[in-house]
């Protein structure tokens, strides 16, 4: 089967074509318009999607050498995400689907992130633990089979991606913060400053990052660089505090569930220091990391999961709308 995927949940306009579980094309246009505001402006994001969708979809069809007439279905992100941006993608997908007389398959963005791991390793088997770390979510899942997911823990306040973004704002680095923090931490000493790790009660699989951000805010008040303490040391130490917390929770999840296969997903999964720390702290485990291009928002994960759902007849073609706070379970 051949499925076109469309993703517009936030500030990436993306389209992809998947045939029999293989990605033939994946186009992502990141909206740079938001960088001057230090965060995504929803109304601007919707307008940008409207401007870009046609071109992005066209490019993904050209790259995959697939014509509209060859498509068996169109998968589109239903949520979670921004209401207006989701609606832009869904309206586009439905219009195209009705015109072509093919089904439109709603896809949960979070499930898409998790399933991006099958694109990195098509031999990935259930069960596995997934650390889902994006701009809006930080969750630990036990993925037991298709549609059989158990939430083990999630953040009580900020998501890990938000901790990166807010930290970057305090450092004056710009948006999105994750890649900028990772880059500016290079060569810094991650053990120079001991920022708090909010590990909560023993065995807790929940997360909390708001205290860390506040402690950075106080630390940076009146901060002066000197030879023995450079800004890159502070950035590396801040990044390390986030990573240590994520790795410790993954370690606890393995211990509590007895599931040893682990994957990561979402934008923060692109962080190479996180990947190294997981390898270092969980040497006995089977670790699978998605391709860097499939960590941050993309439509490849949507077209891949959409094709699976189409095969299993798991969709309600036109009778669905955007669900900004859509949950996975
Ligand atoms: O999955 P994603 O693209 O969008 C959401 O679904 O939220 O995740 C975006 C988040 C942002 O907070 C961004 O700062 C973070 O992922 N991120 C990173 C890296 N690349 C993106 N965080 C840490 N290191 C990175 N290399
Ligand atoms: Zn995402």
């Amino acid at each position: 089967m051949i499925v076109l995927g469309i993703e517009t949940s936030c500030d990436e306009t993306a389209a992809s074509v998947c045939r029999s579980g293989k990605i033939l094309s994946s186009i992502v246009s990141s909206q740079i318009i938001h960088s001057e505001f230090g965060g995504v402006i929803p109304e601007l994001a919707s307008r940008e999607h409207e401007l870009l969708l046609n071109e992005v979809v066209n490019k993904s069809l050209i790259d995959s050498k697939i014509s509209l007439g060859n498509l068996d279905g169109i998968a589109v992100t239903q949520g979670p995400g921004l209401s207006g941006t989701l609606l832009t993608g869904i309206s586009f997908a439905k219009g195209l689907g009705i015109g072509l007389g093919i089904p439109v398959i709603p896809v949960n963005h979070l499930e898409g992130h998790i399933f991006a791991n099958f694109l990195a390793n098509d031999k990935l088997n259930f069960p596995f633990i997934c650390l889902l770390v994006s701009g809006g979510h930080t969750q630990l899942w036990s993925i037991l089979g298709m549609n059989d997911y158990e939430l083990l823990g999630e953040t009580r306040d900020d998501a890990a991606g938000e901790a990166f973004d807010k930290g970057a704002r305090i450092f004056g680095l710009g948006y999105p913060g994750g890649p900028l923090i990772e880059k500016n931490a290079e060569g810094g000493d991650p053990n120079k400053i001991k920022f708090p790790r909010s590990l909560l009660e023993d065995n807790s699989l929940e997360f909390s990052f708001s205290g860390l951000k506040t402690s950075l805010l106080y630390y940076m008040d009146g901060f002066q660089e000197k030879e023995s303490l450079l800004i890159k040391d502070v950035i590396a130490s801040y990044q390390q505090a986030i990573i240590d917390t994520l790795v410790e929770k993954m370690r606890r999840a393995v211990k509590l569930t007895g599931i040893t296969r682990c994957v990561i997903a979402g934008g923060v999964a692109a962080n190479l220091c996180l990947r190294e720390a997981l390898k270092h702290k969980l040497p006995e485990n089977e670790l699978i990391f998605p391709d860097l291009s499939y960590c941050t928002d993309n439509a490849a994960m949507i077209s891949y999961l959409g094709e699976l759902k189409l095969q299993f007849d798991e969709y309600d073609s036109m009778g669905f709308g955007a669900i900004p706070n859509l949950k996975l379970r």
Side-chain angles (χ1 to χ4, degrees), residues 7 9-12 80 109-110 113 133-137 160-165 175-182 239 265-272 295-298 301:
E7 154 64 36
S9 66
C10 193
D11 58 341
E12 259 89 28
H109 181 83
L110 302 178
H113 272 306
V133 270
S134 68
H137 294 80
E162 253 178 303
F164 273 102
D165 293 337
Y175 177 87
L180 293 166
I181 288 210
E182 183 169 21
Q239 171 174 252
V268 180
N271 189 288
L272 299 181
C295 290
T296 42
D297 288 349
N298 65 87
M301 62 190 197

Side-chain angles (χ1 to χ4, degrees), residues 129-142:
I129 302 286
C130 179
L131 173 68
L132 174 59
V133 270
S134 68
H137 294 80
T138 292
Q139 300 177 325
L140 264 170
W141 287 94
S142 156

Side-chain angles (χ1 to χ4, degrees), residues 26-52:
S26 175
I27 308 293
V28 181
S29 173
S30 299
Q31 303 178 356
I32 43 171
I33 190 167
H34 307 284
S35 56
E36 65 180 284
F37 303 104
V40 178
I41 310 292
E43 175 61 20
L44 287 184
S46 304
R47 288 190 219 171
E48 283 291 292
H49 286 308
E50 264 192 72
L51 282 177
L52 291 167

Side-chain angles (χ1 to χ4, degrees), residues 250-278:
M250 183 73 123
R251 195 193 62 76
R252 288 182 187 180
V254 167
K255 192 164 163 238
L256 287 171
T257 60
I259 298 173
T260 56
R261 196 176 295 122
C262 301
V263 312
I264 51 175
V268 180
N271 189 288
L272 299 181
C273 300
L274 170 64
R275 293 174 177 220
E276 283 311 308
L278 283 167

Side-chain angles (χ1 to χ4, degrees), residues 24-267:
L24 302 183
S25 66
S26 175
I27 308 293
V28 181
S29 173
S30 299
Q31 303 178 356
I32 43 171
I33 190 167
H34 307 284
S35 56
E36 65 180 284
F37 303 104
V40 178
I41 310 292
E43 175 61 20
L44 287 184
S46 304
R47 288 190 219 171
E48 283 291 292
H49 286 308
E50 264 192 72
L51 282 177
L52 291 167
L53 260 172
N54 214 16
E55 191 185 323
V56 168
V57 166
N58 236 334
K59 189 153 183 3
S60 100
L61 290 167
I62 291 168
D63 275 16
S64 60
K65 301 189 176 58
I66 294 290
S67 63
L68 283 173
N70 298 130
L71 294 177
D72 295 300
I74 302 170
V76 63
T77 303
Q78 180 180 28
L82 301 168
S83 171
T85 62
L86 290 166
L87 268 176
T88 314
I90 291 174
S91 310
F92 187 97
K94 284 189 180 177
L96 197 55
I98 290 170
L100 294 170
I102 57 175
V104 180
I105 308 125
V107 170
N108 184 315
H109 181 83
L110 302 178
E111 199 178 2
H113 272 306
I114 296 171
F115 274 71
N117 280 283
F118 286 96
L119 296 172
N121 184 341
D122 55 11
K123 301 210 170 45
L124 174 61
N125 274 324
F126 302 113
F128 55 84
I129 302 286
C130 179
L131 173 68
L132 174 59
V133 270
S134 68
H137 294 80
T138 292
Q139 300 177 325
L140 264 170
W141 287 94
S142 156
I143 306 293
L144 303 167
M146 191 81 199
N147 293 322
D148 190 2
Y149 317 138
E150 189 191 338
L151 183 63
L152 301 171
E154 64 185 327
T155 184
R156 293 181 183 177
D157 41 55
D158 292 347
E162 253 178 303
F164 273 102
D165 293 337
K166 288 178 177 171
R169 201 176 305 159
I170 296 170
F171 290 125
L173 294 175
Y175 177 87
L180 293 166
I181 288 210
E182 183 169 21
K183 184 161 182 292
N184 284 277
E186 273 170 25
D189 178 354
N191 301 311
K192 198 82 177 190
I193 302 134
K194 196 81 187 150
F195 285 115
R197 275 86 170 140
S198 188
L199 298 174
L200 308 167
E201 310 82 48
D202 289 357
N203 290 339
S204 166
L205 296 180
E206 294 196 312
F207 303 81
S208 168
F209 291 106
S210 60
L212 171 63
K213 177 199 61 195
T214 310
S215 103
L216 176 67
L217 204 56
Y218 283 123
Y219 187 86
M220 290 304 289
D221 198 18
F223 171 79
Q224 296 270 322
E225 231 185 6
K226 40 187 177 287
E227 219 175 287
S228 58
L229 179 62
L230 302 172
I231 187 69
K232 65 181 176 185
D233 296 329
V234 187
I235 298 175
S237 300
Y238 181 76
Q239 171 174 252
Q240 196 60 44
I242 301 173
I243 289 175
D244 282 354
T245 310
L246 297 176
V247 173
E248 169 59 16
K249 299 292 168 157
M250 183 73 123
R251 195 193 62 76
R252 288 182 187 180
V254 167
K255 192 164 163 238
L256 287 171
T257 60
I259 298 173
T260 56
R261 196 176 295 122
C262 301
V263 312
I264 51 175

